[in-house]
Amino acid sequence: MALKAKEQNIAVFGETGSGKTVLLSSFFGATQEPSFRKANPYRVLADDTGQGRRLRQNYLRMRDDAQAPLATRFEAKSYSFTVRPNEDDTSTEHSFNALRLVWHDYPGEWFEEEPSDAEEAQRRIETFKRLMTSDVAVVLIDGQKLLEYAGEEEKYLKSVLWNIDEGLGRLRDDILTDGKPLEEFPRIWVLALSKADLHPTMNVQSFKDLVERKSADDLAILHKTLRSFVEVPEALSLGEDFLLLSSAKFETERIEITNRIGLDLILPIATMLPLERVTQWAESLNIPFKVLQKLVDNADDLARVLTPFIAKILEHVPGVGKWLSRLLSPAIVSLVMLSKDKLQQLVDRAMEDRDYLSAMLAQFRLDLMDGVDQDVLEKSAW
C-alpha cells in the first residue's frame, strides 16, 4: 500500500544541558525495541536513515555502555519520523494511512547568546520559521537546575522564560511581514520538567504548583509576547499544560533506560492534544471550527478519519448541545468526552476490524488519559 502521511510538528526548546539530545535519542531508541511493537499498534521509522542510526547508537550506548550522548551546541536540527500502523489498513476510506512527526530541536544557546555574525542571525530566523509549523512547543525545565536553585527556583525559571521572551522579541520584526500576525504558529506551549527522576517525590501537580508559585508573572509576560505573534490570540495555551519527562536514570556506573517517564506521551501530545484543544476552544471561546482548523495542522483530516469509525461503533453519539453547530462532527467531541473503558472498546473493535489507523489515533487519546491518571501529564481544565 502506498504511503500517504499527514505531518505533525513539535518544537522542543531547552537551555544548554537540559537534556534535549538524551530525550530525543531515548524517545526514538525505545520505539525500535521489539517490546514496543508488541505493546503498540504502530511503529516509528526514521525518515533519514543516518539520523535514525545515530539516535539508535546513542540509545544503545546509554543502555549497554553507560555512555551519555555528546552535548550539541548551536545545532538546529529537524528530525522526521513516520508513524504507521503495524499492519496495512483494510479501510479504503482514509485519505492517509500514516503520520509524520517532525521534531524541531531549537538550540538553547540561541536564546542565551547573541549571534556571532549576520549569517548566524539569518540562520536563527530561518530556523524559527520552521519551528512555526508546529502546533505544540515543549519548553524544558531542567530538573538538575531546579535542584541547584533549591529554595530560589524563581531565579532559574525567570532566566528560562525571559530568554525565550527576549529571543522572540528580537526575531519579531524579521518574522512578521509588516507586523501582520501569523496564522501558523505553535498554539500549545507545554512546560516539561526534564530529568524528572531527580525529583522522585514530585508529581506533575506539584511541578505545576512550583512553576505557578515562583514564576506566574514571567509566564504572563511570555504569554503576552506569544499572543502578539498570532491571529486569533485567544486560541493559545501557555502555563496550562505540564509534563514530567525522564529519558533515563543516570547512576554511577550505569544508565537505566527502562524506567522512563513521559516519553510515550510525545506522539499523543503532538497528534491528539491539538485536536482536543480545538474542541475546547470551539466551546469556551465561541470560535467556529472552520476558523480553528486553519490554525491547527490536520484537525480536519484527523476528524474525517475518526468520525465514521466512532459513529459506526457507538450506538449513539452523546449529546453535545451547541457544539453541534460549530464542529465538523459530534463524533469528534465524543472522542474527547469518552471514558477510558469506552475508548479501550473502540481501540479493540478497530483492531478487530483491521481499521488500524483509527485504532492508533484512539490509542493516542487513551495514552493522554493514562498520562493524566499517572500524574505525569496535567492538561488545561476542560
Side-chain angles (χ1 to χ4, degrees):
M1 180 181 295
L3 183 67
K4 297 177 290 183
K6 291 293 182 181
E7 186 173 292
Q8 300 291 123
N9 291 263
I10 187 167
V12 179
F13 297 88
E15 294 189 329
T16 307
S18 59
K20 297 195 300 299
T21 303
V22 173
L23 180 70
L24 179 59
S25 300
S26 186
F27 161 78
F28 178 70
T31 66
Q32 306 309 295
E33 296 282 13
S35 57
F36 180 90
R37 186 165 176 175
K38 290 180 181 178
N40 294 279
Y42 58 90
R43 58 189 185 274
V44 181
L45 306 172
D47 293 329
D48 183 308
T49 303
Q51 282 187 345
R53 187 180 296 113
R54 287 189 293 274
L55 293 175
R56 174 74 169 156
Q57 183 184 58
N58 287 343
Y59 174 81
L60 293 175
R61 285 177 173 173
M62 285 191 291
R63 188 191 72 181
D64 300 335
D65 303 323
Q67 293 183 13
L70 295 176
T72 58
R73 286 179 60 82
F74 297 101
E75 291 188 24
K77 288 187 177 181
S78 295
Y79 299 82
S80 179
F81 307 99
T82 294
V83 185
R84 60 185 304 175
N86 285 331
E87 301 181 55
D88 286 338
D89 202 310
T90 59
S91 174
T92 59
E93 301 175 355
H94 301 330
S95 61
F96 64 99
N97 54 18
L99 295 173
R100 177 162 290 114
L101 175 69
V102 182
W103 179 308
H104 302 280
D105 190 351
Y106 194 88
E109 298 83 5
W110 283 7
F111 277 146
E112 301 164 32
E113 303 176 24
E114 293 291 335
S116 58
D117 52 36
E119 181 180 349
E120 183 182 322
Q122 185 59 37
R123 192 162 66 248
R124 294 189 187 191
I125 294 169
E126 293 171 355
T127 297
F128 195 78
K129 286 182 177 179
R130 291 198 299 272
L131 292 174
M132 291 188 301
T133 62
S134 304
D135 290 325
V136 178
V138 177
V139 178
L140 298 183
I141 304 299
D142 190 338
Q144 179 63 49
K145 289 289 185 65
L146 284 183
L147 288 178
E148 294 171 5
Y149 282 86
E152 298 180 312
E153 294 89 350
E154 65 275 5
K155 294 182 179 179
Y156 167 62
L157 293 170
K158 182 183 293 289
S159 73
V160 173
L161 299 174
W162 277 29
N163 281 337
I164 295 176
D165 185 72
E166 291 177 0
L168 290 172
R170 287 194 298 268
L171 295 173
R172 191 176 188 278
D173 290 341
D174 295 304
I175 292 172
L176 301 185
T177 303
D178 297 326
K180 182 180 179 181
L182 302 168
E183 183 177 282
E184 192 171 35
F185 190 84
R187 297 279 172 170
I188 303 170
W189 290 70
V190 180
L191 296 175
L193 175 65
S194 69
K195 308 173 190 176
D197 56 283
L198 298 176
H199 299 265
T201 63
M202 182 177 287
N203 61 26
V204 73
Q205 182 62 52
S206 55
F207 171 55
K208 175 184 177 181
D209 291 346
L210 174 67
V211 172
E212 291 182 340
R213 187 172 74 253
K214 297 284 188 173
S215 60
D217 291 343
D218 303 307
L219 280 173
I221 292 170
L222 178 56
H223 190 248
K224 182 178 180 180
T225 297
L226 294 174
R227 284 170 59 96
S228 72
F229 274 82
V230 297
E231 292 183 1
V232 194
E234 300 85 357
L236 188 144
S237 299
L238 170 69
E240 299 179 26
D241 304 278
F242 295 82
L243 176 66
L244 302 186
L245 289 173
S246 177
S247 311
K249 185 175 182 179
F250 288 76
E251 301 175 350
T252 305
E253 296 182 355
R254 66 193 297 262
I255 300 176
E256 176 56 65
I257 52 111
T258 57
N259 295 325
R260 307 180 317 146
I261 301 172
L263 266 70
D264 293 341
L265 295 176
I266 296 295
L267 283 170
I269 285 173
T271 305
M272 295 306 295
L273 186 58
L275 185 61
E276 175 182 313
R277 195 57 46 83
V278 161
T279 307
Q280 185 177 1
W281 286 333
E283 164 62 7
S284 62
L285 303 177
N286 196 29
I287 300 174
F289 186 84
K290 65 181 180 181
V291 173
L292 290 171
Q293 70 185 29
K294 296 179 182 178
L295 310 181
V296 175
D297 287 341
N298 301 321
D300 187 49
D301 294 308
L302 293 172
R304 290 184 186 280
V305 167
L306 291 165
T307 295
F309 169 69
I310 295 173
K312 177 177 69 174
I313 301 303
L314 295 181
E315 293 181 1
H316 67 280
V317 176
V320 292
K322 58 184 177 180
W323 280 344
L324 292 176
S325 64
R326 302 190 191 124
L327 292 176
L328 177 69
S329 167
I332 300 308
V333 183
S334 300
L335 182 69
V336 300
M337 295 175 65
L338 289 177
S339 68
K340 289 179 66 175
D341 288 343
K342 182 63 71 174
L343 269 172
Q344 187 61 60
Q345 292 176 26
L346 293 179
V347 172
D348 294 341
R349 175 62 184 275
M351 292 295 290
E352 291 175 4
D353 291 353
R354 300 188 66 185
D355 188 352
Y356 299 119
L357 183 62
S358 293
M360 182 177 77
L361 296 176
Q363 182 64 55
F364 286 164
R365 169 64 185 153
L366 192 59
D367 291 342
L368 289 179
M369 298 179 75
D370 286 340
V372 172
D373 290 345
Q374 294 163 8
D375 292 326
V376 174
L377 173 68
E378 173 81 13
K379 299 186 299 176
S380 174
W382 188 259

